[in-house]
Amino acid sequence: MLVEEFLAPKILIVSGKGGVGKTTVAAALALVAARSGRKVCLAEVDRKGTLPRLFGGRELNYKPAQLAPGVWGMNIVPEDALGEYLEVQYRMKRVSKVFSSTHFVDYITTAAPGLKDILVLGKIWYLEQGRQGGRSPQDFDTIIVDAPAAGHMLTFLSAPMGLSDALRVGPVRRQSDWLVEMLRDPARSRVHLVTLPEEMPVSETIETSEAITHKIGLNPGAVFANAVYQPLLTTSEVSALDEVMSDNDPRELRIRAAEVALRLDGEDLEALVGYARFLEARRSIQTKHLRALKRGVQDPVLELPFLFSAGLALPDIETLADVMEEKVAAL
Amino acid sequence: MNIIRDLIRQKEVIVCAGAGGVGKTTTAAAIALQAALEGKKTAVITIDPAKRLASSLGLKELSDEPSKVNARKFTAAGLKPKGELYAMMLDTKTTFDKVVTRYAPTPEQAERIIANRFYRNISGTLSGSQEYMAMEKLYELHAEGGYDLIVIDTPPTRNALDFLDAPKRMTDFFESRVLRWFLLPYMKGAGGFMKVANVAAVTFLRVVKKIVGAEVLDDTAEFFGNLEGMYEGFKQRARDVAALLKSESTSFVVVTSPALDSVAEATFFATRLNEEGLPFGALVVNRVHPHFGDDIEVKPRQISRLEKGEPEAQLLAKLLDNHEAFMRVVRLEERNLEALARKVPRHRWARVPYLEQEAVDFSGLIAIADELFAG
């Protein structure tokens, strides 16, 4: 598949269970989009704050700020979205301040759950519409939404459908219809899921993916399986290693080491083999879960490698973006 | 002496807290399991366990009472518990209903509240209701359950601290002044008030009505009308729960992984517990990569020469490369943990290595417990 095609809808929603690297994947996707010349808005929903850390910058707020070449970041806070909505819709600049108080939003979203989500999606719609034919700083080619964790995500994305069902007439009904159209139109939006090759994330992803397509009727994109250990040894290397290590004294490896002036004692060799075995053990667990994932979802599964750097930063995101481009091209 | 073992011997309540995805539920279950083995009648309250973990504890559905973990699970694993292990998956809704029933002056009033649409939304979706109910259930089991020890997992909130504020946030919400403004015209006999209510309030109402519809406002007013007279009960209970959490009988176990984000959150959390006067007990550092061969020193040049050599040399190159990659992770983790040690001294830690198997079944739990209680 062409990267262009993969990036075609303006709105790309990225979701997954907490702790699976959803934000990292959203950031990598943003880089891929920016590399193809797009102006990208990477939007967090309701201040989680992981995004700015990846780009080494300060906290994000409601107004988009540049994070990297071609990439802007913002944080869609429902309170701010409500303020903006009331201002634009009802010209209630002063009153909107009181409205945006947390208690008010708490109250109103409890009375009508889903309203918070509608406010956030409304802001995304507003961003999507653009303002001045692409010349405003608020106009973006691609909007990547780092959506709430999967459990909440389904509620989040099905909120407009619920509201449209509940209201028969009125401006809010009309607006929630716009959101439903936006979410259901494959030319406008697509949902990508992120998961880990582990028990709980995989089973949750299978359920979510099913619900996205069949229950709420959105457009599924890809499933990114994150932090997948890459194979280290070929089958013949594994048996070669077994043979070498079955000796009490793995002379063969020591000789090779000595040839490049490297001194390895028995303990060192055991350590080397220890990590190889550890990797294999974790990998075989992952393989099992990846198989279950591929069986369970209809969307293409794109594997992203485990990165041997616990403190993810921009260079790591660049690496993931490279891999993402390759994997998309191979689709 | 192992720090967590001290806790299960001395405490009545252990609260496991931490960011999502760090193994909080597993840690809670492993602590409870060990306590049961050592003779305590233990209950573990889980919030959202993995399916296989839940079924390994014999849990099939949400409930509001712990059920006993079958002794056969232990025997099958070659263990003889001196105590008993109970487990539950918290049912927020049912727990909330029970709270309402407890504080309502009459059963009819309780029924009216439970049937109310606004209430049904609260018990399901209001942020904090899950945390609130977890604390509520904890309090109830501690007071009336007859357990020696209760281990509680905290909900997977975006922010590990949310549950600390949950009871207060809920009671504040019930009493919010903004709410009263809204509800005045909907409350019986309050018609006169509207005339004097300020312009902002009237504008509020008009817009809210437009947005959410008049029915919703009616439901809401009815709910708060029915709640009249129950606030004091809620608040008293919230104070009792807070007192239990601060007491000598309770201890907090903060769970983290060595990843940067999770360490940052754990540090913040430990500091916050301190500020709130809540008893921090121990830190569990989960999923630490194993440490092999620290002193191997190899230069990239040596590896690239090996890569060009015989099959055995190539094999060695791969092993060295892989070792170096893992060492990079280990060093980064150490650096993150170093920062953590400046806030929480290492003698308060229990480390659980990244195991080669998953902790999703009973034997996996035992493996985790073995690591947690090693030494």
Side-chain angles (χ1 to χ4, degrees):
Chain A
M1 182 191 270
L2 291 172
V3 171
E4 286 301 312
E5 197 185 326
F6 191 74
L7 296 171
K10 190 162 176 178
I11 302 168
L12 303 174
I13 297 162
V14 180
S15 184
K17 191 178 144 55
V20 297
K22 185 163 55 77
T23 304
T24 316
V25 171
L29 191 59
L31 292 188
V32 171
R35 287 174 186 181
S36 75
R38 288 172 165 78
K39 182 174 171 188
V40 185
C41 175
L42 189 46
E44 289 189 296
V45 173
D46 208 4
R47 65 187 97 115
K48 283 175 304 165
T50 10
L51 197 49
R53 220 175 354 229
L54 286 177
F55 290 93
R58 62 205 175 290
E59 205 163 291
L60 295 175
N61 46 41
Y62 198 65
K63 194 169 173 280
Q66 189 157 13
L67 295 174
V71 182
W72 276 254
M74 71 175 293
N75 179 13
I76 306 184
V77 185
E79 282 83 349
D80 289 339
L82 178 62
E84 189 180 31
Y85 173 76
L86 291 173
E87 222 179 294
V88 173
Q89 184 82 17
Y90 298 100
R91 310 199 182 286
M92 291 174 51
K93 191 158 189 168
R94 215 162 46 88
V95 186
S96 73
K97 274 218 181 79
V98 197
F99 266 109
S100 323
S101 83
T102 311
H103 266 318
F104 175 75
V105 175
D106 263 359
Y107 154 72
I108 203 167
T109 53
T110 306
L115 210 59
K116 217 171 189 165
D117 304 328
I118 304 274
L119 288 169
V120 171
L121 288 168
K123 173 63 180 176
I124 293 165
W125 178 88
Y126 198 55
L127 283 168
E128 186 212 17
Q129 297 301 303
R131 282 194 193 153
Q132 301 164 7
R135 287 190 313 276
S136 151
Q138 290 268 2
D139 277 350
F140 296 98
D141 302 312
T142 297
I143 300 152
I144 296 177
V145 185
D146 182 0
H152 302 286
M153 193 270 276
L154 290 178
T155 345
F156 171 64
L157 293 177
S158 50
M161 291 72 165
L163 197 60
S164 283
D165 284 348
L167 302 175
R168 246 165 282 146
V169 287
V172 178
R173 163 65 201 253
R174 203 163 53 242
Q175 287 152 3
S176 78
D177 281 349
W178 292 345
L179 300 184
V180 174
E181 281 163 29
M182 169 182 90
L183 291 172
R184 292 215 166 131
D185 185 348
R188 293 170 67 191
S189 68
R190 190 177 281 169
V191 183
H192 295 298
L193 295 176
V194 184
T195 190
L196 288 176
E198 289 174 19
E199 160 114 6
M200 223 178 147
V202 163
S203 62
E204 207 169 282
T205 303
I206 293 174
E207 280 167 29
T208 311
S209 143
E210 163 78 22
I212 284 179
T213 324
H214 300 293
K215 246 168 73 193
I216 38 182
L218 307 178
N219 313 295
V223 173
F224 292 98
N226 200 14
V228 177
Y229 285 117
Q230 300 306 293
L232 178 67
L233 305 177
T234 61
T235 331
S236 60
E237 282 171 330
V238 171
S239 37
L241 184 62
D242 285 342
E243 199 176 309
V244 171
M245 291 309 287
S246 66
D247 250 334
N248 268 338
D249 177 30
R251 273 188 65 228
E252 191 59 39
L253 291 182
R254 270 208 278 194
I255 293 168
R256 299 299 161 205
E259 283 171 4
V260 295
L262 184 66
R263 290 170 63 102
L264 296 175
D265 60 20
E267 231 171 79
D268 294 338
L269 284 169
E270 253 170 50
L272 293 184
V273 175
Y275 272 136
R277 299 246 193 269
F278 176 79
L279 182 79
E280 280 312 314
R282 296 301 316 184
R283 237 177 61 77
S284 75
I285 296 174
Q286 288 195 339
T287 310
K288 190 179 75 190
H289 293 307
L290 280 174
R291 261 206 303 273
L293 177 67
K294 287 172 185 161
R295 258 201 320 270
V297 299
Q298 274 159 6
D299 327 320
V301 174
L302 302 183
E303 295 180 22
L304 298 175
F306 176 85
L307 296 181
F308 286 89
S309 46
L312 286 168
L314 195 54
D316 302 308
I317 311 296
E318 297 275 5
T319 309
L320 288 179
D322 294 344
V323 177
M324 213 180 262
E325 281 176 340
E326 269 170 44
K327 300 268 163 150
V328 168
L331 273 182
Chain B
M1 191 61 188
N2 176 287
I3 177 134
I4 315 249
R5 181 167 280 117
D6 283 351
L7 297 182
I8 63 173
R9 292 197 177 156
Q10 292 158 11
K11 303 294 173 183
E12 293 164 16
V13 171
I14 293 177
V15 183
C16 291
V22 295
K24 214 168 20 178
T25 311
T26 317
T27 305
I31 292 175
L33 177 109
Q34 184 69 26
L37 283 176
E38 298 193 5
K40 301 273 183 185
K41 184 180 172 191
T42 313
V44 56
I45 308 175
T46 68
I47 309 293
D48 187 20
K51 280 206 185 84
R52 274 206 287 163
L53 177 65
S55 66
S56 75
L57 293 169
L59 299 174
K60 284 188 200 72
E61 52 200 17
L62 298 176
S63 77
D64 66 335
E65 283 308 321
S67 57
K68 192 173 170 185
V69 176
N70 199 319
R72 275 201 302 265
K73 296 259 184 201
F74 288 95
T75 353
L79 297 169
K80 264 201 213 112
K82 297 195 193 98
E84 294 167 295
L85 180 60
Y86 291 76
M88 71 180 283
M89 282 192 276
L90 181 72
D91 182 342
T92 305
K93 172 83 178 68
T94 313
T95 309
F96 215 137
D97 291 353
K98 281 199 175 167
V99 173
V100 167
T101 310
R102 183 179 319 122
Y103 293 116
T106 65
E108 292 75 32
Q109 193 169 335
E111 266 171 46
R112 276 200 303 276
I113 294 178
I114 291 171
N116 178 280
R117 212 167 359 175
F118 181 81
Y119 166 77
R120 291 208 301 271
N121 291 342
I122 280 196
S123 52
T125 60
L126 182 59
S127 63
S129 65
Q130 204 178 31
E131 290 88 338
Y132 183 28
M133 286 309 123
M135 293 299 124
E136 177 63 38
K137 182 47 73 179
L138 169 69
Y139 185 83
E140 184 200 311
L141 288 180
H142 179 257
E144 301 155 16
Y147 296 99
D148 302 319
L149 175 69
I150 300 162
V151 186
I152 184 168
D153 173 26
T154 49
T157 41
R158 194 169 295 164
N159 184 330
L161 305 172
D162 281 357
F163 78 91
L164 286 180
D165 307 322
K168 187 170 181 323
R169 264 179 30 220
M170 289 295 270
T171 43
D172 280 359
F173 175 77
F174 289 146
E175 285 201 307
S176 160
R177 184 170 304 173
V178 179
L179 284 179
R180 283 169 202 267
W181 272 13
F182 283 123
L183 299 169
L184 277 176
Y186 286 85
M187 299 225 181
K188 281 184 212 117
F193 274 100
M194 261 325 266
K195 296 198 181 76
V196 291
N198 69 40
V199 183
V202 176
T203 323
F204 270 178
L205 270 175
R206 224 181 32 234
V207 176
V208 170
K209 205 163 160 180
K210 223 177 209 163
I211 297 179
V212 301
E215 263 174 43
V216 172
L217 284 181
D218 289 339
D219 286 343
T220 315
E222 186 204 56
F223 170 75
F224 282 97
N226 277 320
L227 214 60
E228 227 28 82
M230 291 169 64
Y231 297 115
E232 206 31 61
F234 282 130
K235 277 167 71 180
Q236 184 54 46
R237 187 67 154 208
R239 281 195 291 269
D240 293 344
V241 172
L244 170 64
L245 292 181
K246 283 187 181 171
S247 78
E248 286 276 299
S249 346
T250 301
S251 189
F252 282 79
V253 169
V254 178
V255 185
T256 185
S257 80
L260 195 61
D261 282 1
S262 138
V263 162
E265 185 133 1
T267 310
F268 183 50
F269 193 56
T271 316
R272 172 81 194 277
L273 285 176
N274 219 2
E275 286 166 9
E276 301 272 326
L278 292 162
F280 169 75
L283 180 78
V284 171
V285 188
N286 237 331
R287 301 183 168 201
V288 183
H289 274 88
H291 235 265
F292 305 129
D294 300 32
D295 49 359
I296 298 177
E297 270 181 51
V298 57
K299 296 184 184 73
R301 187 171 40 85
Q302 290 170 309
I303 294 185
S304 60
R305 273 180 63 199
L306 285 169
E307 277 167 352
K308 289 183 206 106
E310 302 288 308
E312 282 92 356
Q314 289 174 16
L315 174 63
L316 183 60
K318 279 190 175 179
L319 293 179
L320 286 164
D321 227 5
N322 180 56
H323 175 266
E324 181 53 33
F326 272 108
M327 287 312 284
R328 229 168 23 240
V329 174
V330 167
R331 280 193 297 268
L332 275 161
E333 288 184 352
E334 271 314 317
R335 205 168 65 203
N336 296 340
L337 293 180
E338 203 54 55
L340 187 55
R342 282 194 287 274
K343 300 283 178 190
V344 182
R346 287 184 195 259
H347 67 265
R348 312 287 296 270
W349 295 18
R351 284 167 81 119
V352 177
Y354 217 137
L355 300 177
E356 284 187 14
Q357 59 162 327
E358 290 174 292
V360 284
D361 52 14
F362 205 72
S363 67
L365 271 187
I366 293 168
I368 296 280
D370 285 346
E371 296 290 344
L372 267 177
F373 291 90

